[in-house]
Amino acid sequence: MRVLVTGAAGFIGSHVVESLLDAGHDALAYDALLPAVHPEPERSRDRIPADVEFVQADVRDPDALGRALRGVDAVCHQAAMVGLGLDLDDAPHYAGCNDLGTAVLLAAMARADVPRLALASSMVVYGEGRYDCAEHGRVEPGPRVVADLAAGRFEPPCPHCGRPLTPGMVDEDARVDPRNVYAATKAAQEYLATSWARATEGAVAMLRYHNVYGPRMPRDTPYAGVAAIFRSELRAGRPPRVFEDGGQRRDFVHVRDIAAANVAALEWTGKADPGAGRAFNVGSGTPRTVGELAAALASALGGPEPVVTGQYRLGDVRHVTASNRRLREELGWQPAVSFADGLAQFVVPA
Ligand code: UD1
């Protein structure tokens, strides 16, 4: 199949292009090379193999999309603005890139009669992860309050009795509850895409990524995730600064496993029922704490030891880890890169 990959010069998109080619598919790379994400556009452009067609254009440009979509069987939509979206001044830009961009893309796909889509979504659409109370069973704690965070009470309490909760693995049927601007734009992308699928009898797989790391991960930019931040600190001889108490749980999943999930999802869209819209969690299935990540990176890079700062970021969720069972059972995907191997490669200078 010929797949148009948006955001193809980015961290995840460039790996998706490689995985598509490895699986015997054809890719068309589409990327605006926005300066905030690509401070060195030529280097980003060079991530795309020379024999892959490259279109430098924005997903909000219907004419460029219309031309690029000719002869395309499926779209893999990775282009997006990531981060937390805490500053409301950034909200128009997030909504513009992520939601207007997706709406323009979907309209162009409908016009060009391209019926298959894999969409990069995120675990952040769930808000907090899954929690169980010994007394009240499954509960949904609200956003953490500043007074609790400031006092070092990082675990969300049971909303009924205030007792400590046990975190669990979220599945795709959990309620969508986005809690910051970025998360809201990701949830809106999913709703737009499922509406498109219903209206056009197309099929969309929505891939809810966990915390992705690996080669080409953005660093020293506002888009840097915690693994890249810790690595930069350690390379500069400074300790990684672990926020909260370091006990917050995430699922660190390797970018090559994310790319493989995209290929499996795109192949599924060719067999799915007309109008199908299905969400899939994409994570390694093994939760880690941020403290554990810091310790592993510090040890791999020969120190210094991490410092637990007690700082917190408003809008951060405490734990977000989800089951990857649907992806494994329905799409036959398996994570191939272990945490140990992935981190060992991650600390080797590129
Ligand atoms: C990340 C992604 C987001 C994605 C989500 C999916 C980034 C920047 N964000 O959000 O796009 O949708 O995963 O789950 O990649 N921390 C520290 N020290 C630091 C920086 C961060 O302890 O110096 C902590 C944070 O408080 C947080 C955790 O590390 O608890 C993860 O932070 P981050 O890498 O920014 O990712 P998420 O917020 O989980």
Side-chain angles (χ1 to χ4, degrees):
M1 81 189 132
R2 180 165 165 84
V3 183
L4 183 149
V5 181
T6 72
F11 166 43
I12 298 175
S14 60
H15 285 277
V16 171
V17 170
E18 276 171 20
S19 294
L20 281 168
L21 300 179
D22 288 348
H25 300 296
D26 183 18
L28 184 155
Y30 190 101
D31 201 302
L33 295 175
L34 295 180
V37 197
H38 300 282
E40 297 175 284
E42 281 313 313
R43 276 191 74 169
S44 300
R45 168 74 183 77
D46 286 347
R47 292 169 172 173
I48 307 297
D51 55 350
V52 170
E53 189 181 345
F54 183 86
V55 175
Q56 183 175 350
D58 199 292
V59 281
R60 289 161 292 185
D61 179 344
D63 297 331
L65 273 175
R67 286 189 295 275
L69 283 167
R70 280 186 209 132
V72 159
D73 302 299
V75 170
C76 187
H77 185 29
Q78 305 294 321
M81 186 167 162
V82 302
L84 281 175
L86 292 182
D87 185 345
L88 261 293
D89 280 337
D90 293 338
H93 195 43
Y94 271 97
C97 288
N98 298 357
D99 296 335
L100 177 62
T102 300
V104 173
L105 172 66
L106 295 170
M109 288 173 69
R111 278 194 301 276
D113 211 11
V114 177
R116 298 164 63 179
L117 175 66
L119 173 73
S121 185
S122 169
M123 299 302 308
V124 291
V125 300
Y126 295 122
E128 276 291 347
R130 198 193 107 178
Y131 294 91
D132 295 296
C133 170
E135 175 73 21
H136 296 98
R138 183 74 43 85
V139 292
E140 292 186 357
R144 295 181 294 172
V145 296
V146 173
D148 280 344
L149 293 167
R153 289 188 295 270
F154 300 116
E155 293 291 342
C158 173
H160 308 296
C161 64
R163 287 205 190 97
L165 299 170
T166 310
M169 309 284 264
V170 188
D171 67 29
E172 292 86 348
D173 295 327
R175 195 162 66 88
V176 168
D177 180 19
R179 293 186 179 178
N180 57 49
V181 167
Y182 167 66
T185 65
K186 281 281 143 190
Q189 282 187 310
E190 291 197 359
Y191 294 136
L192 288 166
T194 46
S195 305
W196 161 85
R198 269 195 300 274
T200 61
E201 302 212 316
V204 57
M206 296 162 291
L207 299 174
R208 295 178 175 164
Y209 300 163
H210 287 251
N211 290 64
V212 190
Y213 75 99
R216 304 177 209 142
M217 186 173 186
R219 50 166 200 238
D220 312 323
T221 78
Y223 303 98
V226 66
I229 295 171
F230 286 170
R231 183 181 60 180
S232 294
E233 290 299 303
L234 285 159
R235 281 189 177 153
R238 292 188 294 263
R241 297 170 56 78
V242 178
F243 298 162
E244 304 188 14
D245 57 3
Q248 60 273 45
R249 287 155 48 114
R250 294 289 186 278
D251 181 325
F252 298 98
V253 56
H254 197 272
V255 67
R256 280 203 293 279
D257 286 331
I258 292 280
N262 274 278
V263 175
L266 286 160
E267 289 170 349
W268 169 84
T269 58
K271 300 178 281 199
D273 291 339
R278 195 132 176 93
F280 297 92
N281 293 329
V282 194
S284 70
T286 312
R288 311 272 170 185
T289 66
V290 171
E292 223 178 308
L293 172 77
L297 284 171
S299 138
L301 282 159
E305 288 295 302
V307 173
V308 179
T309 67
Q311 260 170 278
Y312 58 89
R313 298 188 308 199
L314 273 182
D316 263 359
V317 299
R318 175 64 175 171
H319 305 295
V320 61
T321 58
S323 163
N324 61 16
R325 186 168 159 185
R326 182 182 287 184
L327 187 66
R328 287 188 285 106
E329 291 186 355
E330 295 185 16
L331 301 193
W333 171 93
Q334 285 288 342
V337 186
S338 70
F339 185 67
D341 288 349
L343 286 191
Q345 293 166 21
F346 190 62
V347 297
V348 176

